Amino acid sequence: MLSPSGRWQRRRDQRGTRLARVLRGVVAVALSVVVLQYFQVLSVFSSGSSGSSRSVTVPLRAAEFLDKCRLLDVKPGPPPDFHGRSQNDRFVQGTKPTLIKNATIWTGRANGLEVVHGDILLDTGLIKRIGRVHGAELGQYADLEIIDAQGRWVSPGLVDLHSHLGVYNSPVLQGAFDVNSRKGPVLPWLRALDGLNTHDDAYRLSIAGGVTTALVLPGSANAIGGQGVLIKLRPPSDRSPTGMLLENPYETNSSVYDRHAHFRYRQMKHACGENPGRVYSGTRMDTIWAFRQAYEKARQIKQAQDDFCAKATRGEWAGLGEYPEDLQWEALVDVLRGRVKVQTHCYETVDLDDLVRITNEFKFSIAAFHHAHETYLVPDTLKAAYGHPPAIALFATNARYKRESYRGSEFAPRILAENGLQVVMKSDHPVLNSRYLVYEAQQAHFYGLPHNLALASVTSTPAQVIGQEHRIGFDTTQPSPRARRHPQQVWIDGLAQLDAPHLLSKPASFQKPPVTPNFDKETKETLEHDGLPPLDPKPSRARTVVFTNVSSVYLREGAIISQVYSARGRASDAGVVLIRDGKVSCVGSAASACAVSMVDEGAEYINLEGGAVSPGLTTAGSPLGLEEIRSEPSTMDGYVFDPLTDSIPDIAGGEGAVVRAADGLHFGTRDALLAYRSGVTTAITAPGSSGFLAGLSAVFSTAGHHKLEEGALLQETSALHVAIHPVGSPSVSTQIAALRRLLLGETKGELSRAIEQVRKGRSPLAISIHSADAIASIITLKKEVEQELGNKIKVTLIGATEAHLLAKEIGDADIGVLVSPSRPFPHTWEGRRLLPGPPLSERSAIVELLAHNVTVGVGVTAAWEVRNTRFDVAWAALESNGTISKADALALASTNVETLLGVKADEVQGDLVATQGGDLLDFSKVVAIISPRRGVVDVI
């Protein structure tokens, strides 16, 4: 039996059931009335002056179609009330408000010239105020975090306009390589968001370099490769790719993003030239036809939509049918409507001209040409593009890696800016590590781009190009392009990104923009020679050359570099270096007896303007001298047979073959001559190899014209080079077994003679290697071999990304390390356990190895990078917190490299480099090379 309360509950349920039935009935009747009235309205419309009438059937989806028509008139960009928002839509609840006080703030405004001394208030993910923040305003914050910048620079967060973060993953693994689709040359419907990996190891590294926003683009295999995605680099709270979006253009929640008020810009990747032609076995004509065919399709859809809407809005529904649209082509249609920013990978004049003509044919604008190595030669062509001239997104010095980049120039940013075109410096990550995006701006400034535009090129300018200048984050990086340093903190959406950063002191002089060299002559010659100015140095005709106004002199004696003269910052102590017949005769003050007595009337005087004389640098690790254009086999020496995987012809030596790089040297390459003009006078190059045994490296002058010239080939053979890398088959253990047999077993022919030099400790064994596990095996193998032979052997590790994990063991084993590249990056799995250096770690790998008495040299991996060696070692010194002196830094890229790779010393003085306006590690210009071996002074 039910209790009284139970009976009451049952009666209430029954009443609720009856009420529900009544309500359902009322709703059904109401819907029936609405439907009947709707069909009555649709039935017949009277028209015509003669009293005749006609029937017009209005489609059931008319309201939907008219709404789509209204959307065609909505403009892209931020909503009108954007700057009135009280909270960033990416704000993370619980984030404390932050006051950065006493800062020197580079705002990016006033063409990049505005600098404000004051404070920055961050709250709810927004920059609330820049300038002086008064106490009354701060009183509302109970939990305010205060940071005293102590006059340090604060700049907008860096924006990378061309990145493949998250789609070209680091480390590279087959299961997460989503940068290119090869399903056809035209794929505008693809979206980089759909392949964005949130676990890419490079995010934290890029943040550590001050990069807060990146445009992640599909690759360049296709003429139209798909839609890019704008991301913030901080880890999203929901751990999803969508959570990384700067603003989601695909958002379907109208309460979050109302398309009736504004459209969010999308980004589209285009590519022309070599890449799509190579992938699809076509010509430039095929690629351009693919563009035109695609845009004609989009134009037809757009025209059909416009015609449909013109009639629909007048109520002329007869025969209209469905609203014309196609999901595959809608993004390209939106390009024609100005709602999608087109980012175009395009190098050469012919391709640039093609794309400019297409923009005018189909009436759409290009936001930026990327890579764009010949844009500086044709500024008027760019200005002829439809709508507005594209911005130009460039590398600073990366060129000559394929034919269409052959005419790339370090002066391109300056020339373009002087022609009124927007300049952007970008990374193409991971082609360049975007952690060092500011380094691209630094180099652009060094070669003539004004400092304000250099800073803008990685902040405000790319933000404008992607249509996001209203949304820029802030970080506390030193914005002077001279800085070559790391941020001390980075904020994204009001959140500090660096957890307990390792901070280093910085010279006070680095708080001011540097004085950059004058490259007017070189810039003019570049244009006069259509991008290929002559690079050969010109020997001085004078027997005696006197360098005046010298601030410091560094000389080498054996493997030691020492400072032998310093003006100590006093103009009255400015020194003189007298050179006779290419050799140093006198170093001292201008009033010294030696300087006065040895000058002759025919002497040539060169004012270094406070510059210096230093030893020439030596490079290793790249194919410099074996290639002119990396992707063009006819310009290269090529690759050797590998005895582990190939059958070596008997005529080439069979099992006893070993290749000498000296036999395939190409002298006078542009990369070699540019290196010489940048103070790198000697190169050590091993034969090209993609396998285990490379061969014997050669030592040569970067200024040589041919190997028979005096002083061109400095040493025919130096080290024997092998490589230990995980390639699947043969295994790493097989490669080490092969090395063991080479060192302890029987060998034949010339290989036997080369191995004998290694066994006797006369020539180094140079091993290209990265993994700490493989390095441990090499340490064990070295001990085994030395015990068997009864003598020490010389071993040098090249690359050695994970060597820091075994720094003590490497030092104890007396193994040297050529760190290459000097700033590590997890390109592959074998190098993922890198030591990133400040601010992410207290020490860099170079400092860690030196601390354990390892002989360390610095190398590069690509020929174009050699010219920047001086900046690489300067960066290493600055990150050492004073443990690497200038003399030590010079040794990292000269005497140490030569020691590690078996360059034999003789009595002839090494090359010297004279720099104007500073020493070789500063923002100076190389003006002369002193060559004792050739008995000349080359004037640059």
Side-chain angles (χ1 to χ4, degrees), residues 31 179 359 493:
L31 286 174
V179 67
T359 67
D493 303 324

Side-chain angles (χ1 to χ4, degrees), residues 305-434:
Q305 290 174 348
D306 293 343
D307 293 344
F308 179 98
C309 290
K311 291 182 179 180
T313 53
R314 294 195 300 266
E316 299 174 5
W317 295 102
L320 274 184
E322 297 288 308
Y323 178 80
E325 57 186 341
D326 188 323
L327 184 59
Q328 283 192 308
W329 297 98
E330 59 83 22
L332 210 59
V333 173
D334 264 4
V335 170
L336 299 180
R337 295 197 183 280
R339 294 171 172 174
V340 179
K341 299 279 190 176
V342 176
Q343 311 291 343
T344 304
H345 160 121
C346 209
Y347 287 78
E348 282 191 277
T349 299
V350 58
D351 302 313
L352 299 166
D353 189 58
D354 287 342
L355 265 293
V356 165
R357 281 188 281 104
I358 288 175
T359 67
N360 286 292
E361 180 179 0
F362 293 98
K363 305 294 187 280
F364 70 93
S365 294
I366 291 176
F369 279 124
H370 293 238
H371 307 314
H373 282 62
E374 291 190 13
T375 48
Y376 70 98
L377 296 172
V378 288
D380 290 337
T381 296
L382 307 178
K383 293 176 183 180
Y386 182 81
H388 59 79
I392 311 301
L394 301 163
F395 294 127
T397 54
N398 185 4
R400 292 166 296 283
Y401 47 89
K402 53 184 176 177
R403 193 195 66 83
E404 60 189 3
S405 68
Y406 190 60
R407 294 174 190 267
S409 173
E410 62 271 36
F411 307 116
R414 166 189 172 168
I415 295 169
L416 290 163
E418 289 174 348
N419 279 274
L421 295 163
Q422 287 183 302
V423 174
V424 174
M425 307 309 296
K426 46 79 180 163
S427 73
D428 194 12
H429 182 100
V431 172
L432 300 183
N433 180 359
S434 63

Side-chain angles (χ1 to χ4, degrees), residues 124-195:
T124 63
L126 300 175
I127 300 165
K128 292 290 189 177
R129 190 168 311 284
I130 296 176
R132 289 297 173 193
V133 182
H134 300 289
E137 185 173 0
L138 298 177
Q140 61 181 298
Y141 299 105
D143 195 17
L144 181 68
E145 182 174 353
I146 300 176
I147 296 172
D148 189 347
Q150 298 179 339
R152 294 186 182 92
W153 286 92
V154 177
S155 75
L158 305 186
V159 180
D160 193 352
L161 188 65
H162 190 131
S163 177
H164 301 295
L165 264 170
V167 294
Y168 193 140
N169 289 279
S170 302
V172 175
L173 296 170
Q174 292 181 6
F177 192 74
D178 295 300
V179 67
N180 279 308
S181 170
R182 296 174 183 257
K183 300 300 184 182
V186 174
L187 304 168
W189 47 86
L190 300 185
R191 305 182 302 184
L193 176 63
D194 299 328

Side-chain angles (χ1 to χ4, degrees), residues 554-777:
Y554 292 85
L555 297 178
R556 58 187 291 174
E557 185 173 347
I560 305 299
I561 294 178
S562 304
Q563 186 177 29
V564 300
Y565 181 82
S566 173
R568 296 181 175 83
R570 296 190 295 265
S572 59
D573 291 338
V576 169
V577 177
L578 188 147
I579 308 297
R580 178 162 291 174
D581 297 328
K583 296 179 176 62
V584 176
S585 296
C586 173
V587 176
S589 68
S592 66
C594 178
V596 173
S597 63
M598 295 192 68
V599 174
D600 59 46
E601 293 182 357
E604 179 176 357
Y605 290 81
I606 300 176
N607 184 354
L608 295 189
E609 300 175 9
V613 174
S614 313
L617 303 182
T618 300
T619 186
S622 81
L624 186 73
L626 293 179
E627 66 178 31
E628 181 75 19
I629 304 173
R630 169 159 285 191
S631 65
E632 294 288 344
S634 65
T635 73
M636 304 168 61
D637 176 51
Y639 295 91
V640 303
F641 290 110
D642 181 34
L644 276 185
T645 58
D646 301 322
S647 177
I648 302 177
D650 290 339
I651 196 171
E655 293 182 6
V658 64
V659 174
R660 300 184 180 191
D663 293 334
L665 285 177
H666 295 195
F667 285 87
T669 67
R670 297 193 73 78
D671 281 322
L673 292 173
L674 286 167
Y676 188 74
R677 298 171 74 92
S678 301
V680 182
T681 63
T682 303
I684 306 170
T685 297
S689 172
S690 58
F692 166 69
L693 177 62
L696 295 165
S697 50
V699 186
F700 64 97
S701 167
T702 54
H705 293 91
H706 54 80
K707 69 188 297 183
L708 301 181
E709 181 184 53
E710 180 69 26
L713 183 61
L714 302 175
Q715 191 170 312
E716 188 164 357
T717 62
S718 53
L720 178 65
H721 291 254
V722 300
I724 307 291
H725 296 295
V727 293
S729 180
S731 66
V732 169
S733 51
T734 300
Q735 295 169 49
I736 293 175
L739 181 57
R740 178 180 289 108
R741 183 179 180 279
L742 281 179
L743 293 171
L744 296 177
E746 295 294 328
T747 53
K748 301 177 181 180
E750 190 171 353
L751 178 59
S752 177
R753 291 187 287 275
I755 287 294
E756 190 63 20
Q757 293 298 306
V758 173
R759 288 172 177 165
K760 292 181 177 179
R762 295 172 182 170
S763 296
L765 176 66
I767 306 173
S768 174
I769 194 168
H770 287 292
S771 165
D773 298 304
I775 291 171
S777 294

Side-chain angles (χ1 to χ4, degrees), residues 201-213:
D201 284 1
Y203 288 124
R204 66 187 286 266
L205 298 176
S206 297
I207 290 172
V211 179
T212 61
T213 306

